[in-house]
Amino acid sequence: MKRLDERIAFPDYAETDRFGIIAYGGDLSQERLKLAYQKGIFPWFNENEPILWWFPDPRFVLFPNELKISKSMQKVLREKHFQFTENQAFEQIIENCRSIHRPGQEGSWITDEMMQAYIGLHRAGLAKSVEVWQNKELVGGFYGMDQGDVFCGESMFAKVSNASKAGFIYFVQKYSEQYQLIDCQVYTAHLASLGAREIPAEEFLNYLNP
């Protein structure tokens, strides 16, 4: 596994290990993060660890035309239990993604350094957020990177049942013509229930860089 230095570059995909890690080290500068996402690579590491850069194969994605909406979620959306906004509370979204309790998970991989890096990307118009509100209270949402034909999701949270699902469905339906696919990175049952599935990393790159 290659250690990154001050140069803004990543090794060849062939150097990715069996866990999906392509490199470690480097920094979270805006220039490096922009290049990483252009290449389908993303950072994911714990506090007090070196930055780990990932390129998982297979890749977990959702094609908008394969979105699955259960009857119960159709009812939730029809009855307008939630209201949605975009890019109105990015910092609150990322802070909630970091602090929300997740069963079986100790702490969060969203470090202070990660937070500031993505807030910078948001201010540059590269990172986006979707907010889910109920009675004027922020109850869910997610953030990620806009890569043209692909939206690369990073993290989501929900404080009440169905909030993150509703926000995700809203987003996918609204932008079904803009994004060819939503990158969900690695498998989760939560997103699988909405229609996300695994595809070969090589196929993912064809969508990312047509």
Side-chain angles (χ1 to χ4, degrees), residues 55-89:
F55 181 71
D57 187 5
R59 195 79 171 216
F60 192 53
V61 305
L62 178 112
F63 293 93
N65 64 352
E66 296 181 2
L67 177 67
K68 295 178 181 177
I69 309 175
S70 67
K71 288 184 179 180
S72 60
M73 278 307 301
Q74 290 176 25
K75 185 174 185 290
V76 166
L77 295 167
R78 188 168 57 248
E79 294 178 352
K80 298 183 178 179
H81 289 212
F82 303 107
Q83 297 76 49
F84 311 103
T85 58
E86 299 171 40
N87 301 311
Q88 297 301 303

Side-chain angles (χ1 to χ4, degrees), residues 97 100 102 141-143 154-158 164 168 190-191:
C97 286
I100 198 81
R102 303 178 195 275
F142 60 91
Y143 71 97
E154 273 299 313
S155 186
M156 59 170 49
F157 81 97
S164 61
F168 187 76
H190 180 67
L191 292 174

Side-chain angles (χ1 to χ4, degrees), residues 35-178:
L35 177 62
Y37 280 93
Q38 288 167 8
K39 296 176 71 66
I41 297 167
F42 58 88
W44 187 19
F45 61 102
N46 294 318
E47 192 86 55
N48 301 318
E49 288 183 353
I51 300 171
L52 298 179
W53 299 91
W54 298 75
F55 181 71
D57 187 5
R59 195 79 171 216
F60 192 53
V61 305
L62 178 112
F63 293 93
N65 64 352
E66 296 181 2
L67 177 67
K68 295 178 181 177
I69 309 175
S70 67
K71 288 184 179 180
S72 60
M73 278 307 301
Q74 290 176 25
K75 185 174 185 290
V76 166
L77 295 167
R78 188 168 57 248
E79 294 178 352
K80 298 183 178 179
H81 289 212
F82 303 107
Q83 297 76 49
F84 311 103
T85 58
E86 299 171 40
N87 301 311
Q88 297 301 303
F90 186 91
E91 294 186 28
Q92 288 177 260
I93 290 292
I94 195 168
E95 175 59 45
N96 275 281
C97 286
R98 176 167 82 159
S99 61
I100 198 81
H101 173 69
R102 303 178 195 275
Q105 180 177 312
E106 294 184 13
S108 173
W109 55 270
I110 303 175
T111 64
D112 288 341
E113 185 182 14
M114 286 280 273
M115 277 190 63
Q116 293 309 311
Y118 283 90
I119 289 170
L121 289 168
H122 172 66
R123 291 172 178 168
L126 299 171
K128 295 184 175 182
S129 63
V130 171
E131 300 90 24
V132 184
W133 307 86
Q134 189 173 64
N135 301 321
K136 298 183 179 180
E137 179 185 352
L138 185 65
V139 294
F142 60 91
Y143 71 97
M145 291 284 287
D146 187 345
Q147 289 296 115
D149 290 341
V150 174
F151 181 81
C152 300
E154 273 299 313
S155 186
M156 59 170 49
F157 81 97
K159 291 183 175 179
V160 301
S161 180
N162 295 320
S164 61
K165 279 188 176 182
F168 187 76
I169 291 168
Y170 154 83
F171 181 78
V172 174
Q173 289 183 322
K174 181 175 179 179
Y175 293 103
S176 61
E177 297 298 320
Q178 176 174 335

